[in-house]
Amino acid sequence: QVVPRDPTTGDPLPDPIQEAIDAAAPGDLILVAPGLYAESPILYKPLRVQGAGEATILNANPSPSSRLSIWHAKVLSVYPSDPFEASEHAGFTVFGTNSTDFTAFASRIDGFAIRGSISGGGIQVYDSAHNLRLSNNRIDGNQGTYCGGIVLGQWVNADVTFDNSNVVIQGNQILKNGGVNGAGGVAIFTGATGYRILDNLILGNFCRGAGGGIGHEGVSHGGVIARNIIRNNETFYALATGGEGGGIFIGGAAVAAG
């Protein structure tokens, strides 16, 4: 069980959730106690990370700036490259690796309040995070280059093939997030085969791209969007730039020539 302070000395731990992820074996359940956690964990193996609801708060704001260098160093310690220059320090960042198979064990992020990110969004799922479940989280007040709330894959990466199959996004409150290039609330990019977006409250999100509430761009066969409440989301629109689909946008991927 993860607590915000060292249970022996009472001293604050720098990144207790990340330390628990590093120590866990695939398939383990990590219970995160109520508290304020000033960190942005990287989930690179199939684990069930369970918060205690809105009282388990993840503050992903990258302040002080030293947190960014530590975060990027962590990425490079578990992944062969760092593809997150434009989307650094999300609340949670998820990806599989050559040694961690997300199809072999159940994985989830459940029961967190996630806020404060300024470029990675609330939860970014990069690649090979098959069967991941994102549920019962309150994701509010985040900004992301590719999406403010939850993003699968990345925007306009024609040379990268993403594969995040059967991801379930269910029962979340996705509120007042901002997307710079992608959607405001939830963004689905190429390779999210069989995704499910179910029973979420998606409210008051804003973006400069396409899909104030939900944006599906590119080819992701077999997706389902059902039983969500999607209200008061907005896309910026102007003559030279701007997006479409204040509630839901579904369309092809952007082409290289624009």
Side-chain angles (χ1 to χ4, degrees):
Q1 182 174 2
V2 177
V3 295
R5 291 180 177 272
D6 187 309
T8 302
T9 66
D11 296 332
L13 294 171
D15 294 299
I17 301 174
Q18 187 65 65
E19 291 176 8
I21 290 171
D22 294 344
D28 279 356
L29 171 63
I30 297 173
L31 299 176
V32 184
L36 176 62
Y37 298 83
E39 60 176 307
S40 290
I42 298 168
L43 184 63
Y44 58 94
K45 60 181 88 167
L47 300 169
R48 295 164 293 157
V49 186
Q50 180 66 58
E54 289 188 41
T56 305
I57 302 168
L58 198 66
N59 178 11
N61 189 281
S63 179
S65 59
S66 58
R67 293 180 63 185
L68 288 177
S69 59
I70 294 171
W71 188 89
H72 284 287
K74 182 61 187 179
V75 171
L76 288 172
S77 74
V78 295
Y79 203 70
S81 63
D82 185 352
F84 305 114
E85 180 178 353
S87 59
E88 61 190 7
H89 220 267
F92 276 95
T93 296
V94 188
F95 51 76
T97 69
N98 290 334
S99 60
T100 58
D101 182 6
F102 271 70
T103 65
F105 300 91
S107 58
R108 72 170 182 254
I109 298 171
D110 185 287
F112 286 86
I114 302 172
R115 52 185 60 118
S117 177
I118 62 174
S119 61
I123 300 175
Q124 66 169 332
V125 181
Y126 179 66
D127 189 31
S128 301
H130 309 293
N131 306 327
L132 174 68
R133 181 177 183 84
L134 307 173
S135 52
N136 303 313
N137 301 291
R138 182 183 177 100
I139 301 170
D140 64 81
N142 300 281
Q143 177 177 278
T145 300
Y146 303 120
C147 182
I150 298 173
V151 56
L152 307 185
Q154 286 187 354
W155 178 77
V156 189
N157 276 274
D159 57 337
V160 177
T161 301
F162 300 106
D163 187 10
N164 296 298
S165 60
N166 304 315
V167 175
V168 176
I169 300 171
Q170 186 169 23
N172 302 281
Q173 297 178 2
I174 303 171
L175 315 173
K176 298 181 290 185
N177 302 285
V180 178
N181 292 319
V186 179
I188 306 296
F189 296 112
T190 297
T193 304
Y195 69 80
R196 300 288 186 267
I197 304 176
L198 308 171
D199 308 307
N200 301 282
L201 175 62
I202 302 173
L203 178 68
N205 301 284
F206 177 84
C207 74
R208 298 194 314 172
I214 299 174
H216 167 135
E217 297 187 48
V219 179
S220 294
H221 294 295
V224 172
I225 300 172
R227 304 191 306 267
N228 303 282
I229 297 174
I230 303 171
R231 294 178 179 164
N232 299 335
N233 303 283
E234 185 179 1
T235 61
F236 170 77
Y237 182 77
L239 293 176
T241 60
E244 300 172 299
I248 301 175
F249 174 86
I250 298 176
V255 296

